[in-house]
Amino acid sequence: MKNKKKFIKVAIDSPAAAGAGTLAKSISKYYNLLYLDTGKIYRMIAFIKIYQKKRFNIKFLKKRIEKLNLKKLQDKKLLSDEVGSEAAKIAKDRNIRKLVHSFQINCAYKPPKKFNGSCLDGRDITYKIVPDADFKFFVTANLKIRARRRYLELKKLKKKVSYSAVLKNIQKRDKSDYNRQISPLKKTKDSILINTSNLSKRSCFLKLKKIIDKKLLINGNL
């Protein structure tokens, strides 16, 4: 997007391993948007709780989040199932969510000037963090396909895991995400459903691009 005419906000919600992260990254790169995988923040906090127990308190977490470098969220240590399970528990904590939400909102509405907007993916982005997003998507996929994707991802990281264990973990994550009282995962009426079960990464990208370009063209932003 060479001619920036309007600040663009993209919000994506999805269950674990549905491909939302990969899709959000490609969309962000193409449209020059600040990208934030909000779930990685909870994973970072979970990592601190597991491996730095003595430092795990609201005061310390507040400082870490305020000075958070987004590049640190790319640490592969955050991808383990142990960290993921703990992150799902932490996400239910009101005080922690308050800190994380504040950071997320700042990223969504005040990204560095070099960007044309923002793209956030998570569990409550479309209705809690960026309710006025220009584009809202709910990305999902078949449970077994999601488990297979996560299993292959972990194997590439040389993690000793079994497919059945990963499947159970994702089922557990789904139950927690959809049923928690605070900011549960849900599809809003104004979110476009994208099922990635039988789509390649390229096909998913092109599908979203077509939807985004159409609206930008109508609004005179393209």
Side-chain angles (χ1 to χ4, degrees):
M1 282 179 53
K2 295 180 181 179
N3 298 316
K4 178 184 171 186
K5 295 183 179 180
K6 183 177 181 294
F7 184 86
I8 302 168
K9 300 185 294 296
V10 180
I12 302 174
D13 284 327
S14 75
T22 300
L23 191 51
K25 285 178 187 176
S26 60
I27 287 296
S28 298
K29 183 178 180 180
Y30 184 81
Y31 292 99
N32 186 34
L33 308 175
L34 171 70
Y35 168 62
L36 177 64
D37 177 347
T38 62
K40 289 285 182 66
I41 303 176
Y42 290 105
R43 281 178 173 267
M44 179 197 74
I45 295 172
F47 187 86
I48 293 172
K49 185 176 182 180
I50 296 170
Y51 299 103
Q52 301 176 39
K53 290 183 180 180
K54 293 182 179 180
R55 289 187 167 186
F56 188 76
N57 58 69
I58 290 295
K59 188 176 180 180
F60 176 73
L61 293 178
K62 185 177 180 180
K63 288 182 179 180
R64 282 294 298 271
I65 293 173
E66 286 177 347
K67 298 178 180 180
L68 181 60
N69 183 331
L70 296 185
K71 290 183 179 180
K72 291 185 177 180
L73 296 180
Q74 297 174 18
D75 192 332
K76 293 181 179 179
K77 292 179 181 178
L78 302 181
L79 297 176
S80 72
D81 274 349
E82 180 186 13
V83 171
S85 295
E86 189 60 46
K89 297 175 185 176
I90 286 172
K92 298 176 182 179
D93 188 299
R94 289 183 184 277
N95 292 323
I96 290 178
R97 288 200 79 85
K98 189 175 180 180
L99 291 178
V100 176
H101 278 175
S102 179
F103 180 79
Q104 292 173 356
I105 291 170
N106 190 57
C107 286
Y109 292 91
K110 297 179 181 179
K113 292 182 179 179
K114 65 179 181 179
F115 294 106
N116 292 334
S118 60
C119 178
L120 279 66
D121 78 87
R123 301 290 186 269
D124 61 351
I125 309 305
T126 57
Y127 69 92
K128 185 75 174 182
I129 308 302
V130 199
D132 64 343
D134 302 284
F135 303 95
K136 295 183 180 183
F137 300 99
F138 188 89
V139 179
T140 189
N142 176 275
L143 174 63
K144 291 184 178 180
I145 288 176
R146 288 191 284 129
R148 181 69 179 172
R149 288 173 180 169
R150 181 52 56 82
Y151 170 72
L152 294 175
E153 180 182 29
L154 293 173
K155 290 295 284 184
K156 282 184 179 179
L157 296 173
K158 311 223 182 269
K159 300 288 184 180
K160 293 183 178 180
V161 293
S162 65
Y163 168 77
S164 59
V166 174
L167 178 63
K168 288 181 181 179
N169 182 268
I170 288 185
Q171 285 178 315
K172 186 178 180 181
R173 289 285 305 281
D174 281 357
K175 185 176 181 180
S176 175
D177 288 340
Y178 279 107
N179 298 298
R180 68 187 182 212
Q181 292 185 340
I182 307 171
S183 297
L185 171 63
K186 62 182 179 181
K187 180 190 175 301
T188 61
K189 290 182 179 179
D190 57 350
S191 292
I192 298 173
L193 180 66
I194 303 292
N195 192 314
T196 69
S197 297
N198 301 308
L199 296 176
S200 65
K201 293 178 183 179
R202 179 66 177 168
S203 296
C204 288
F205 167 74
L206 292 175
K207 191 167 187 175
L208 260 70
K209 180 182 178 297
K210 184 177 180 180
I211 293 169
I212 293 173
D213 283 351
K214 184 178 180 180
K215 187 173 180 179
L216 291 180
L217 189 61
I218 291 172
N219 294 341
N221 292 90
L222 196 65

